[in-house]
Amino acid sequence: MKWHELGEMNCPVARSLSILGDRWTLLIIRNAFMRTRRFDDFQKQLGITRHLLSDRLNRLVEKNIFAKVLYQEAPKRYEYRLTESGMALYPVILVLTKWGNTWLNEEGSHPALEFIHKPCGHKTDPQLVCSECGEELHAKAMIPVLEQAK
Amino acid sequence: MKWHELGEMNCPVARSLSILGDRWTLLIIRNAFMRTRRFDDFQKQLGITRHLLSDRLNRLVEKNIFAKVLYQEAPKRYEYRLTESGMALYPVILVLTKWGNTWLNEEGSHPALEFIHKPCGHKTDPQLVCSECGEELHAKAMIPVLEQAK
DNA sequence: TCTCATAGGTTCTAAATTGGAACTCACGCA
DNA sequence: TGCGTGAGTTCCAATTTAGAACCTATGAGA
């Protein structure tokens, strides 16, 4: 199966990964959440080749995750800003951060990246909970259901 | 920068993606959460080439995300089961599911994949909340802090 | 005994993707 | 006139992936 075919699959994970599932895309988005917006900044921060960065940014604009915004008239220069659907990827970044901190940090070989939640002022541990009962969600407690679209 | 160098970076997202950041790995893990355990089943369900599947499964065993468990003596046959750190990837799958359902399903072109939360019996919308105050987490409300490991 | 079927791979070649470096272009400035 | 900046594009070599065929051990059936 070729890769682009996955984008049309009936599984939302496959469709998400048809956009996000490569070595660089989520790192670009991570940096966008850290306020990076310009080509050269992404390139220097990530060490990605200019070639690939160009390709990935275009793809993400096409998929409506970034918007290309003019910030200078002459010469015309654009920056890349997260759209609403791009901002909606924040949970993906947070969850990957938590997993990496927890499981890929042998005997504290790296400093842990933690977060303070501004509204409450505390150091927070992001938890994935049920919208109905508030309990933390685990694989074994979930029953998947396919809902026919309206 | 070559890819394997990212695994040693000081960013938990980069370290996570050095394992998970390719076209197939998270799909393999998704299927593992749907109780797939054997080589041929993964291969048939995903349409991945046997070559790559073999490579990815070995890599995931090496990274302690799958454990290779003997399930038949003669001839010796192994199956791949999620370890504790593999099970901890469930939030990643869930969050990708939610994002794909919400943002990659133009005018209901696909049935939405939803979940019933067994303990409370309701259809659930997974939410990422603060462990301290219970509010939903958004990028703008978070202040990252590097904690030196003990 | 011979042949198939099963499970879990490995090997091969061709095609596609990536990495790295150099080059381009349109300015603004000294 | 030449230099610096931002945002790419072009080229070639190296790596990775796709697709198909092959291999191995065992058990079942004719």
Side-chain angles (χ1 to χ4, degrees):
Chain A
M1 182 184 313
K2 290 209 197 96
W3 185 247
H4 66 264
E5 293 168 40
L6 272 188
E8 288 116 50
M9 278 188 73
N10 219 340
C11 167
V13 181
R15 294 202 302 278
S16 297
L17 290 176
S18 79
I19 298 177
L20 308 171
D22 76 288
R23 286 163 167 67
W24 291 111
T25 301
L26 279 168
L27 285 177
I28 293 170
I29 290 168
R30 171 201 66 171
N31 282 38
F33 277 113
M34 303 190 313
R35 317 232 187 294
T36 302
R37 289 173 177 170
R38 299 189 183 172
F39 191 93
D40 275 26
D41 292 337
F42 281 114
Q43 200 274 316
K44 277 169 206 149
Q45 289 164 24
L46 293 170
I48 185 178
T49 62
R50 310 177 71 73
H51 182 29
L52 263 196
L53 177 59
S54 173
D55 178 85
R56 291 298 184 272
L57 287 173
N58 284 330
R59 184 178 306 204
L60 289 170
V61 167
E62 187 187 306
K63 298 292 182 181
N64 195 36
I65 284 159
F66 279 123
K68 204 166 173 174
V69 179
L70 191 75
Y71 74 89
Q72 182 186 289
E73 268 297 342
K76 282 191 194 282
R77 297 245 186 279
Y78 297 88
E79 58 184 18
Y80 297 89
R81 287 169 182 254
L82 288 166
T83 61
E84 198 188 348
S85 75
M87 293 294 286
L89 285 169
Y90 191 64
V92 177
I93 302 294
L94 254 196
V95 150
L96 286 172
T97 304
K98 179 173 170 172
W99 188 79
N101 264 332
T102 309
W103 297 99
L104 302 179
N105 197 356
E106 291 160 47
E107 54 213 49
S109 48
H110 304 276
L113 179 58
E114 308 198 320
F115 294 92
I116 290 168
H117 186 220
K118 237 186 283 184
C120 78
H122 293 104
K123 199 176 282 181
T124 185
D125 172 40
Q127 291 183 310
L128 203 63
V129 303
C130 171
S131 55
E132 305 309 305
C133 70
E135 255 186 57
E136 208 168 354
L137 296 172
H138 299 286
K140 286 176 184 162
M142 303 288 272
I143 306 167
V145 199
L146 273 181
E147 291 291 325
Q148 218 39 244
K150 295 148 247 171
Chain B
M1 182 183 313
K2 290 209 197 96
W3 184 248
H4 62 90
E5 292 168 42
L6 273 188
E8 289 116 51
M9 279 189 73
N10 219 341
C11 167
V13 181
R15 293 201 302 276
S16 297
L17 291 176
S18 79
I19 297 178
L20 308 172
D22 77 288
R23 286 162 166 68
W24 291 112
T25 301
L26 280 168
L27 285 177
I28 293 170
I29 290 167
R30 170 201 66 171
N31 282 36
F33 277 113
M34 304 190 312
R35 320 229 187 293
T36 301
R37 289 173 177 168
R38 299 188 184 173
F39 191 94
D40 275 26
D41 292 336
F42 281 113
Q43 200 273 318
K44 277 168 205 148
Q45 290 164 23
L46 293 169
I48 185 177
T49 61
R50 310 176 71 73
H51 182 27
L52 261 197
L53 177 59
S54 173
D55 178 86
R56 291 299 184 272
L57 287 173
N58 284 330
R59 184 178 307 203
L60 289 169
V61 166
E62 186 187 307
K63 298 292 182 181
N64 195 36
I65 284 159
F66 279 124
K68 204 167 175 174
V69 178
L70 191 75
Y71 73 89
Q72 182 186 290
E73 267 299 343
K76 281 191 194 284
R77 297 244 186 281
Y78 297 88
E79 58 184 19
Y80 297 88
R81 287 170 183 253
L82 289 165
T83 60
E84 197 188 349
S85 75
M87 293 295 285
L89 285 168
Y90 191 64
V92 177
I93 301 295
L94 210 46
V95 150
L96 287 172
T97 304
K98 178 172 172 174
W99 188 79
N101 265 331
T102 309
W103 297 100
L104 302 179
N105 197 356
E106 292 160 46
E107 55 214 48
S109 48
H110 303 276
L113 179 57
E114 308 199 320
F115 294 92
I116 290 168
H117 187 220
K118 236 185 286 185
C120 78
H122 293 105
K123 199 176 282 180
T124 185
D125 172 39
Q127 292 184 309
L128 203 62
V129 303
C130 171
S131 54
E132 306 309 306
C133 70
E135 254 187 59
E136 207 168 355
L137 296 172
H138 299 287
K140 284 175 184 162
M142 303 289 272
I143 306 167
V145 198
L146 274 182
E147 289 293 324
Q148 218 39 246
K150 294 148 247 173

